[in-house]
Amino acid sequence: MTSSSGASRRQVLAVAAAAATAPLLAGAPTEAKPKQPKTWDLTILGTSDTHGNVYNWDYYKDAEFDDSKHNDVGVAKLATLVNQIRAERRGRATLVLDAGDTIQGTPLATYYAKQEPITSTGETHPMARAMNILRYDAVTLGNHEFNYGLPLLATWIEQLGFPALAANALNAKTGKPAFLPYVIKEVKLGGHGAPKLRVGILGLTNPGVAIWDKGNVEGRLVFADMVATAAKWVPEMRRRGADLVVISAHGGDSGTSSYGPELPNENPTALIAEQVPGIDAILFGHAHNEVPEKFVTNLTTGERVLTSEPSKWGQRLTRMDFTLTREKGRWRVTAKSATTLNTNTVVEDPAVLAAVRGQHTKTVEYVNRVVAQSSVELSAAESRYKDTPILDFINHVQTEVVTEALAGGEYAGLPVLSIAAPFSRTAVFPQGDVRIRDVAGLYVYDNTLEAVVLTGAEVKAYLEYSAKYFVTLPAGAPVNPETISDPAVPDYNYDVFSGVDYDIDIAKPVGQRITRLVLAGTDTPVAADARFVVAVNNYRRSGGGNFPGIVKPQVYNAQQEIRQLLIDWAQAKGVIDPADFFVPNWKLVRDGVPVF
C-alpha cells in the first residue's frame, strides 16, 4: 500500500514524461536544427623570389647561410615544409605555386648561365632539378628570368616538369601571349567519390622587364599592364570552368614603381585585387617582403581577395587555406586564410640536395679560386657614406675598359666618368688571397657595362637625384651611419661617380645638395655644357631607378658582364692595391664641413 503523496509524485512524473515524448509519439512538428552544408578544403602553398638558392648556403662566405634573424634559405628547405604539409593533408588537395625570380641571384645560378650555360651543355639547370623534385604545379616568370636572354629562358622552361606562366608577356609582332597565360588544374577534394574542383592559375610577370632587360627583349617581347591583363583573362578562366581563381603575380603591392610612368605599374598587386572582379587569392613576389596575410576588398563586388608574399630566397613558405561548400552545383568559398612558415624550423630535403649536389660542389670550387692578392683589407661597410677604395675599384675597372674601347674614335677626347653603387654592406677583400667569391660578393648583380655621353648639367642632375638617398640632417645634429639614409631608397639606388670631385650637403633639401662639382683634381667648376663619357651598368642605363638623363643611346656596349671584368682585371694584375686606383673625390658635408 502506498501513500497518497507518493502516488501524486508518480502522477506528476508520468505527466512530465508524457509531455516530453508527446510530440514524437503524436507526430507533432519539431524545430529541427538546420542541416549544415558539407564542406571541403583546399591548401595552396606558395614560394617566390628563390633567386637561385637551393642549398642553405652563402657562396660569398663559403659557409652555411645565416643572417641577423637566423633565417635559412633554399628550395631544399622549402621542399621539407611542402612535403610535411602534403603528408599532413594526405588524400586532400594541395597545390604548390611560385611567383617568379628563380634562375638568377646566386653564383650557382650564374655558373649555369655563364660559365657552363645550359644552352650549350644540355645540362639541366639546378633550379629545374630542385623544383622538379618538389613537384610544383606552376611557376610564374619573374623579371630576372629574362636576365640571360630568351634562349636560356626557353631551355629552362623546357626542363621543367610543370607550366611556366606569363600572361602579359606578348610577342612584339603578333601581340599574342609569348608564354602560357594560365592553367586550370582539376583537383579532387578528398577520397573516393569526392567532388572535383577546377582551380584557375593566372601568371603575371613584371612589365619592368622592358626596361631592365631591354637588350634581351626589345623588338621581341612587349609587356602589357598587369591589371589590364588580369581583367582580360580572369573572366576567360571563369568562362572556361574555373571554380576558384588564383593569380601568381611577380609584382609587389605598393602601387609604386622604381621607374618612371612610361611603363605599366611595377607593383600593382593590391590594384589588381581592387579592380578585377572574380579573383579569390593572389600569391605575389618581387618586393622581397613578408606578407603573411592581407585582404584587399574588390571595389566592384565587395569580395575580399586574399593576398600573401613569402619573403625571398626560400626563407618563407606561404600557406593559403580555403574552405568550400557546394550549392546548386556551384562551388562557394566560405572561409580563407593565409600565413607564412619559416624554413629555419626544418632540415633540408635530402632528395633535393642529392639532385643538385654535383652542381653545388662545382660552384663552390669555382668561387673559391684565388684571382689576386690584396695588399690590404678592403671593406664595403662604409661605402654608402664615405668614399672607399673598394667602390673605386669598380669605377676604376669600368673607366679603364671604356677608355680603351673608345681610344682613337669619335669620343676619345672626352673625359670618362664612371658610376657605381654600394650593392653590398658586407663585401670584403681580405688582405692576401682574394677569391672569385669575394669579387662576386662585391658585385652581386649580373649587369653588363655600357657607356653614354652626358653633359655637365646632366651629371649634376644625376648626382642631385642620387643624393636623395640621404635624410636631411641640419648642421650640429647627431649623425648615425645606420640611419643616415632614407629607408625608402635602397642602397642599389644610390650611385657615386668617379672622374669629377663633388660635395653632398645633407643639411640642404633634396635637389639642392651638390654644392661643389669640379673637374677632377682641380677647382674648375663643371660647365653645364661640358661633355663626358659615363660608364654605367645596363640596369641603370635602361632606366632602372628612374635616374634622369641616363636613358640614351650607348656609345659603348660590348655586352661584357661587370663582375667578370672585375675578376679579369684582378687576375691580370695579380695584386689589388688601392694605390693603383683609389682617388678620394666625394664627401658628405654640412655647410661645407665634412660629416666624417
Side-chain angles (χ1 to χ4, degrees), residues 533-553:
V533 171
V534 180
V536 62
N537 69 57
N538 67 298
Y539 171 83
R540 191 69 82 229
R541 207 281 313 164
S542 297
N546 200 30
F547 280 69
I550 199 72
V551 180
K552 54 178 59 183

Side-chain angles (χ1 to χ4, degrees), residues 212 254 256-259 266-267 286-289 383-385 420-425 444-445 462 465-471 484-496 539-540 544-547:
W212 304 321
S254 67
T256 61
S257 297
S258 65
Y259 45 73
E266 177 183 354
N267 295 299
H286 183 61
H288 290 197
N289 293 325
S383 293
R384 297 173 299 122
Y385 50 87
F423 291 149
S424 170
R425 300 187 183 191
V444 296
Y445 296 107
Y462 192 106
Y465 184 88
S466 184
K468 71 185 179 71
Y469 174 77
F470 298 102
V471 297
I484 200 170
S485 60
D486 184 340
V489 183
D491 294 352
Y492 61 77
N493 272 348
Y494 169 61
D495 284 348
V496 301
Y539 171 83
R540 191 69 82 229
N546 200 30
F547 280 69

Side-chain angles (χ1 to χ4, degrees), residues 344-366:
N344 71 5
T345 61
V346 296
V347 299
E348 294 170 289
D349 178 71
V352 172
L353 295 182
V356 184
R357 181 167 288 117
Q359 295 172 314
H360 167 74
T361 300
K362 183 177 286 189
T363 303
V364 169
E365 292 171 352
Y366 170 73

Side-chain angles (χ1 to χ4, degrees), residues 226-455:
M226 295 170 75
V227 181
T229 302
K232 173 184 177 179
W233 289 106
V234 169
E236 175 71 9
M237 294 161 69
R238 290 288 186 182
R239 281 194 296 272
R240 289 179 177 266
D243 302 305
L244 188 83
V245 170
V246 178
I247 292 180
S248 175
H250 195 77
D253 65 348
S254 67
T256 61
S257 297
S258 65
Y259 45 73
E262 68 275 7
L263 280 183
N265 196 297
E266 177 183 354
N267 295 299
T269 291
L271 299 175
I272 296 170
E274 283 182 351
Q275 297 177 22
V276 181
I279 301 167
D280 293 288
I282 303 177
L283 171 73
F284 68 101
H286 183 61
H288 290 197
N289 293 325
E290 181 178 4
V291 182
E293 178 189 77
K294 182 178 178 181
F295 286 96
V296 179
T297 301
N298 185 268
L299 299 178
T300 301
T301 65
E303 293 291 330
R304 296 202 311 159
V305 179
L306 175 64
T307 73
S308 181
E309 181 180 19
S311 188
K312 63 184 186 297
W313 306 345
Q315 294 179 356
R316 301 290 185 273
L317 174 72
T318 279
R319 174 173 178 162
M320 295 179 173
D321 290 298
F322 302 84
T323 303
L324 304 103
T325 60
R326 193 160 174 81
E327 299 174 356
K328 298 180 180 178
R330 298 176 65 88
W331 287 102
R332 183 170 69 88
V333 177
T334 59
K336 52 188 173 182
S337 62
T339 190
T340 49
L341 307 176
N342 196 326
T343 57
N344 71 5
T345 61
V346 296
V347 299
E348 294 170 289
D349 178 71
V352 172
L353 295 182
V356 184
R357 181 167 288 117
Q359 295 172 314
H360 167 74
T361 300
K362 183 177 286 189
T363 303
V364 169
E365 292 171 352
Y366 170 73
V367 299
N368 276 289
R369 293 179 192 169
V370 175
V371 293
Q373 301 291 310
S374 182
S375 61
V376 294
E377 180 179 283
L378 303 178
S379 170
E382 298 179 331
S383 293
R384 297 173 299 122
Y385 50 87
K386 285 184 182 179
D387 194 346
T388 57
I390 200 167
L391 216 58
D392 271 15
F393 170 67
I394 299 172
N395 275 331
H396 176 79
V397 173
Q398 293 182 166
T399 299
E400 194 173 87
V401 170
V402 170
T403 301
E404 291 176 0
L406 299 181
E410 177 184 356
Y411 304 99
L414 297 181
V416 178
L417 315 183
S418 180
I419 298 171
F423 291 149
S424 170
R425 300 187 183 191
T426 58
V428 174
F429 290 178
Q431 184 176 16
D433 289 349
V434 175
R435 305 174 190 276
I436 286 175
R437 62 180 167 88
D438 300 318
V439 181
L442 172 65
Y443 208 100
V444 296
Y445 296 107
D446 300 317
N447 296 330
T448 57
L449 182 62
E450 301 183 4
V452 298
V453 174
L454 298 186
T455 65

